[in-house]
Amino acid sequence: MSLELTKSFVYTANNRECEFPLNNLPFGVCFEKDKQKCFSATAIGDQVLNLTYAEELDLIPKLGFKNVLLNSFMSKGSIARKELRKVLQDLLSDNSKKRSKVETIMKDDRQDT
């Protein structure tokens, strides 16, 4: 049985071969070379969404991403992770009401991060 992909405004996330469609949002830490600093992120298609900035802009709940390391967030348990994924899926969906704001905190992962 094939899982139906949830459509995203990130075009590459809608490809069946994509590792990170809207149905699979991993959490990680990235390094931004030009700013010489790390940030918490999730991958979507061939892009990353900066969770540190998303938290600062009140796009997502305050879950400790300003601390960059995922320890604070992960210690909140599976309920917090599921709730955040739901918020992220709404923000990154094809019909996102906050698309323009979300796009300001995204980076193409082919760029030097």
Side-chain angles (χ1 to χ4, degrees), residues 10-58:
V10 179
Y11 177 74
T12 55
N14 299 323
N15 180 330
R16 275 244 166 255
E17 304 300 315
C18 177
E19 291 181 78
F20 304 114
L22 198 51
N23 304 60
N24 179 32
L25 298 174
F27 299 110
V29 175
C30 298
F31 180 76
E32 196 168 3
K33 285 184 182 179
D34 61 334
K35 294 184 181 176
Q36 290 292 299
K37 72 186 240 187
C38 292
F39 62 94
S40 299
T42 191
I44 175 74
D46 63 351
Q47 298 186 36
V48 293
L49 172 70
N50 186 319
L51 296 173
T52 305
Y53 288 156
E55 190 176 77
E56 287 175 13
L57 294 172
D58 292 324

Side-chain angles (χ1 to χ4, degrees), residues 14-109:
N14 299 323
N15 180 330
R16 275 244 166 255
E17 304 300 315
C18 177
E19 291 181 78
F20 304 114
L22 198 51
N23 304 60
N24 179 32
L25 298 174
F27 299 110
V29 175
C30 298
F31 180 76
E32 196 168 3
K33 285 184 182 179
D34 61 334
K35 294 184 181 176
Q36 290 292 299
K37 72 186 240 187
C38 292
F39 62 94
S40 299
T42 191
I44 175 74
D46 63 351
Q47 298 186 36
V48 293
L49 172 70
N50 186 319
L51 296 173
T52 305
Y53 288 156
E55 190 176 77
E56 287 175 13
L57 294 172
D58 292 324
L59 289 170
I60 63 172
K62 302 284 187 220
L63 294 168
F65 292 113
K66 69 178 180 178
N67 300 326
V68 179
L69 295 178
L70 296 175
N71 299 6
S72 175
F73 168 62
M74 295 305 262
S75 71
K76 293 179 179 9
S78 64
I79 292 173
R81 288 190 297 276
K82 286 176 186 174
E83 288 175 3
L84 178 58
R85 279 195 175 94
K86 174 66 178 127
V87 169
L88 291 170
Q89 286 172 337
D90 290 343
L91 289 174
L92 296 164
S93 73
D94 201 26
N95 58 354
S96 173
K97 292 176 175 44
K98 298 182 180 180
R99 178 178 176 169
S100 61
K101 198 169 189 180
V102 171
E103 287 178 323
T104 66
I105 56 173
M106 294 184 74
K107 283 194 150 297
D108 185 318
D109 77 357

